Amino acid sequence: MEITYATSSSSDLTAAATDNYSVVAMPNRPVKVIPLQHPTSSSSFSTAPSASIPPLLSKWRSKFLRLSCIDWLDLLLPCSRWIRTYRWREYLQIDLMAGITVGVMLVPQSMSYARLAGLHPIYGLYSGLVPVFVYAIFGSSRQLAIGPVALVSLLVSNVLGSIVDSTDELYTELAILLALLVGILECIMGLLRLGWLIRFISHSVISGFTTASAIVIALSQAKYFLGYSIVRSSKIVPLIKSVIAGASKFSWPPFVMGSIILAILLVMKHLGKSRKHLRFLRATGPLTAVVLGTTFVKIFHPSSISVVGEIPQGLPKFSIPKNFGYAKSLIPTTLLITGVAILESVGIAKALAAKNGYELDANQELFGLGVANICGSFFSAYPTTGSFSRSAVNHESGAKTGLSGIVMGIIMGCALLFMTPLFTEIPQCALAAIVISAVMGLVDYGEAMFLWHVDKKDFLLWTITFIMTLFLGIEIGVLVGVGVSLAFVIHESANPHIAVTYIDSSAVQALKDLHQEYKLRDIQIAIANPNRDVLLTLSRSDLVQLIGKEWCFVRVHDAVQVCLQHVENLKETTPKIADLSQQKKPSFFQRLWKRQSEDEPGPELESGGQDPRMLEATEGTVVQTPDMQSSFFQRLWEQRGGETNPQSEPLLSRKS
């Protein structure tokens, strides 16, 4: 079915043309063309002095010169953006509640992730204090919740465990030094705007890596459930061998307690996700686990269940990281943790920014994370980054600005000042259950099934990364996955497909994110002229169903025509609401004249003739000419018993 449209006349378009456009006469209608400004000899002389400046520096120089004072303030302190526009009555209560909710979640999680990193729980609390405050000032995301996370904690444990024993003081000092190195590298990448490097890592590599890492993390926490020690490793085979070898030392009490607490956490998480009125259960799950476990230990004092032990009370003291001689051996892990920070934090921050309707600069976000890690390293913090689970809870709790992050830091500070004596009796199995319940969300088997149906090449990439990470370790798994991903890119570049609009799973995911963002803005996406393979991929990924089959077209022309018709229909169906406050109330004479005109239409109206004195007026507005006024007064005079002028005739034309 073809839809035709009536175009404006050439005179209308010519009259609408502005001085900035030239009108070119075409057979059907004129076309607006922006005139090209050709360089002249004078302009070449004016640009000659800057020719010696490299293009990149010249671009930065011109950009910085255009910045105003407000722009500089926003660049150096991103928090100033939301501070200037903060709506106290609307946002304050929401931000306070979101900050308290995530803060309650952060305290037990920080201790759990510190144990995963091989550190004392107090360093997890330290890592959830200063970096949170610093990021609230220098971070550009308003909903991202940073602090200790499971994946980074596993990386710290993996690299430092191969250098020194976790019971040695040097282990803690190297973890703090690692935070400083990660922060410096993140700041450098942010200043040099190198965030684009992450584009070379396919979404399949990320998913396979996080899934394998989640399994390794869960197995590493099994020792707190089983009641005996197992080897520290990032490979699954040594972990399984160690679990089997120590089976004779199995203890029932920690296993039963850990299993019960884990089941409670999973149920609370499920209810919090599936039912909106129970959303608070997801955030209070870790706190519930800690309270239940601590209460049981304080009442029954079971000797077979290990507890956290004494935790120092008070805020961390300022200290400079030590042992810079080990910095060279920490560089590979620094690069890996920075890559994870880009993948997790920047990816989450962009998604949250799109959902909340503001723009986010990935490089500025990276710089904010770097400053948070650098400042945290001077207060005994190990590497931190954005958290999937806490950021999701922060967003679902309605957080509007970075004030929620400041509230999180205050909650952590209060815990360090007043609550550490209560943490002494927390069971280790309760903290392990918190870690396992958190990383179970990282097991992305659904992505593997999706790739199998959509793109076998990306499924192969996911499988390779997953297996390599699981059996050969995190570093080798990431390197192999990235290498294979780059090999695929090079192969496709060297052997390009002849037909255009080709699409892989990463592009499908990007289109889904774009559709979600545009849907929030009431913008409709249309697909035009996809080839068979592209359309098949879009159908398998359910993207066609998301966009709508009625918005898929054979030709671009058809898509444009339907879009134009859709816009016209919207204009026609949109009710025109008149502003009654701006309309003047008609006087007594005007209402009387209107009633008389409706009762006794003039001969011109009845015959359809037109008089040069007629005046068209919109409904509710009366405009009079001298002839109308004289005709009106004659009618009024006639009603009052006066004489009528036979030469006068009523003249009125109205159009709704």
Side-chain angles (χ1 to χ4, degrees):
M1 174 181 175
E2 294 187 358
I3 305 174
T4 59
Y5 295 88
T7 60
S8 303
S9 63
S10 60
S11 60
D12 295 335
L13 287 176
T14 304
T18 62
D19 296 337
N20 296 328
Y21 296 87
S22 60
V23 181
V24 180
M26 299 296 288
N28 296 328
R29 61 180 182 179
V31 178
K32 296 179 180 179
V33 178
I34 302 176
L36 176 64
Q37 296 181 354
H38 295 276
T40 60
S41 57
S42 59
S43 62
S44 61
F45 277 109
S46 62
T47 58
S50 61
S52 59
I53 302 178
L56 182 60
L57 295 179
S58 178
K59 180 181 179 181
W60 284 6
R61 178 176 175 271
S62 61
K63 184 177 181 179
F64 286 148
L65 290 177
R66 291 195 302 265
L67 294 178
S68 63
C69 295
I70 298 297
D71 294 332
W72 277 107
L73 183 63
D74 293 343
L75 183 64
L76 298 176
L77 296 174
C79 63
S80 63
R81 298 174 184 171
W82 58 264
I83 290 177
R84 288 198 310 269
T85 59
Y86 196 83
R87 303 175 183 175
W88 292 95
R89 293 184 178 180
E90 183 178 352
Y91 292 168
L92 182 58
Q93 184 178 0
I94 298 176
D95 283 341
L96 289 176
M97 292 304 300
I100 293 173
T101 301
V102 182
V104 168
M105 185 180 183
L106 175 62
V107 172
Q109 276 193 350
S110 297
M111 293 188 288
S112 303
Y113 293 148
R115 297 301 302 163
L116 175 61
L119 298 169
H120 192 277
I122 189 62
Y123 293 101
L125 298 176
Y126 290 162
S127 301
L129 180 65
V130 174
V132 172
F133 281 114
V134 175
Y135 180 81
I137 298 173
F138 293 96
S140 55
S141 176
R142 303 174 187 178
Q143 288 80 27
L144 186 68
I146 75 164
V149 297
L151 197 53
V152 172
S153 300
L154 177 64
L155 293 173
V156 171
S157 172
N158 183 51
V159 66
L160 297 185
S162 61
I163 299 176
V164 64
D165 188 78
S166 60
T167 58
D168 198 325
E169 186 179 354
L170 178 61
Y171 187 97
T172 302
E173 294 176 354
L174 292 182
I176 296 172
L177 176 62
L178 191 58
L180 176 63
L181 297 178
V182 169
I184 292 174
L185 182 58
E186 288 174 340
C187 285
I188 292 175
M189 293 187 67
L191 291 174
L192 297 180
R193 308 190 68 81
L194 297 179
W196 56 270
L197 291 174
I198 203 64
R199 299 175 187 172
F200 289 101
I201 301 181
S202 171
H203 181 74
S204 307
V205 174
I206 300 171
S207 177
F209 167 70
T210 54
T211 300
S213 299
I215 295 175
V216 172
I217 292 172
L219 283 176
S220 68
Q221 298 298 295
K223 60 182 179 181
Y224 300 113
F225 276 58
L226 301 176
Y228 58 88
S229 298
I230 60 176
V231 68
R232 184 186 299 273
S233 176
S234 63
K235 305 174 185 177
I236 190 172
V237 174
L239 287 172
I240 294 178
K241 285 184 177 180
S242 180
V243 169
I244 296 175
S248 59
K249 304 176 184 178
F250 175 76
S251 177
W252 279 103
F255 179 79
V256 173
M257 174 181 281
S259 300
I260 293 175
I261 292 177
L262 179 60
I264 293 173
L265 285 171
L266 294 178
V267 171
M268 294 180 70
K269 180 188 289 187
H270 174 72
L271 292 176
K273 285 183 177 180
S274 59
R275 302 184 181 182
K276 292 185 178 180
H277 64 283
L278 298 177
R279 186 178 296 170
F280 66 94
L281 292 178
R282 182 181 180 185
T284 57
L287 180 63
T288 303
V290 168
V291 171
L292 291 177
T294 304
T295 303
F296 180 85
V297 169
K298 282 186 174 294
I299 294 175
F300 298 101
H301 303 285
S303 59
S304 57
I305 296 180
S306 60
V307 295
V308 171
E310 185 179 356
I311 296 180
Q313 189 172 7
L315 301 177
K317 298 179 181 180
F318 177 84
S319 62
I320 299 176
K322 307 174 184 177
N323 300 296
F324 284 90
Y326 290 89
K328 186 177 180 180
S329 60
L330 297 178
I331 289 178
T333 305
T334 300
L335 294 171
L336 191 56
I337 292 178
T338 303
V340 171
I342 298 176
L343 295 175
E344 286 197 19
S345 298
V346 178
I348 302 170
K350 281 190 172 181
L352 293 176
K355 290 182 178 179
N356 289 274
Y358 62 92
E359 295 182 358
L360 183 136
D361 186 354
N363 295 291
Q364 192 171 21
E365 179 69 12
L366 201 55
F367 178 78
L369 289 170
V371 176
N373 273 301
I374 291 175
C375 295
S377 67
F378 292 105
F379 292 91
S380 303
Y382 75 97
T384 58
T385 188
S387 167
F388 278 114
S389 58
R390 293 194 298 271
S391 299
V393 171
N394 196 33
H395 169 69
E396 292 171 0
S397 300
K400 298 297 182 182
T401 66
L403 181 62
S404 61
I406 297 176
V407 176
M408 294 178 212
I410 294 174
I411 296 294
M412 181 62 73
C414 293
L416 284 169
L417 288 173
F418 310 111
M419 300 179 65
T420 50
L422 301 177
F423 299 156
T424 305
E425 303 295 330
I426 296 178
Q428 298 275 21
C429 59
L431 297 181
I434 293 174
V435 174
I436 294 174
S437 66
V439 299
M440 286 183 68
L442 299 178
V443 180
D444 199 2
Y445 61 88
E447 177 71 11
M449 301 303 298
F450 169 78
L451 294 175
W452 172 258
H453 292 290
V454 174
D455 194 330
K456 299 296 191 295
K457 175 183 69 65
D458 283 343
F459 174 77
L460 176 63
L461 187 58
W462 187 95
T463 305
I464 291 174
T465 306
F466 173 77
I467 293 176
M468 290 298 175
T469 304
L470 204 59
F471 289 94
L472 299 182
I474 294 175
E475 293 87 349
I476 297 178
V478 171
L479 290 176
V480 172
V482 173
V484 175
S485 179
L486 289 176
F488 282 159
V489 172
I490 294 172
H491 179 268
E492 292 172 359
S493 301
N495 303 278
H497 197 268
I498 297 176
V500 179
T501 71
Y502 166 77
I503 187 170
D504 58 6
S505 61
S506 297
V508 168
Q509 186 63 39
L511 282 178
K512 285 186 175 181
D513 296 340
L514 187 66
H515 168 72
Q516 179 67 22
E517 178 180 351
Y518 281 178
K519 185 178 180 181
L520 295 175
R521 302 181 184 180
D522 293 330
I523 300 176
Q524 176 65 46
I525 293 180
I527 301 175
N529 195 23
N531 61 31
R532 182 180 179 278
D533 294 334
V534 171
L535 186 59
L536 186 61
T537 301
L538 296 178
S539 300
R540 288 174 175 174
S541 62
D542 294 331
L543 189 60
V544 172
Q545 286 73 16
L546 285 176
I547 296 176
K549 292 185 178 180
E550 68 276 11
W551 291 101
C552 298
F553 305 94
V554 177
R555 301 183 302 171
V556 176
H557 175 77
D558 298 341
V560 173
Q561 297 297 326
V562 172
C563 289
L564 290 175
Q565 182 65 39
H566 183 69
V567 173
E568 291 296 329
N569 291 339
L570 288 177
K571 290 181 178 179
E572 292 177 0
T573 56
T574 302
K576 298 181 180 180
I577 304 175
D579 189 4
L580 300 178
S581 62
Q582 296 181 357
Q583 295 183 1
K584 296 182 179 179
K585 185 177 180 180
S587 64
F588 166 76
F589 295 112
Q590 291 172 339
R591 294 197 301 271
L592 185 59
W593 172 42
K594 179 179 179 181
R595 183 168 62 249
Q596 290 297 325
S597 301
E598 292 175 352
D599 295 340
E600 300 180 10
E604 286 81 8
L605 296 179
E606 295 174 356
S607 62
Q610 295 182 354
D611 190 280
R613 297 172 294 177
M614 286 185 176
L615 182 65
E616 293 184 356
T618 58
E619 185 168 352
T621 304
V622 179
V623 183
Q624 301 176 6
T625 64
D627 291 330
M628 290 180 179
Q629 292 176 357
S630 61
S631 176
F632 165 73
F633 284 114
Q634 289 170 359
R635 292 177 176 275
L636 184 60
W637 179 258
E638 181 180 0
Q639 289 182 359
R640 298 290 177 89
E643 297 181 357
T644 305
N645 185 354
Q647 297 179 352
S648 300
E649 295 179 353
L651 296 174
L652 177 66
S653 173
R654 303 177 65 254
K655 184 174 76 172
S656 298

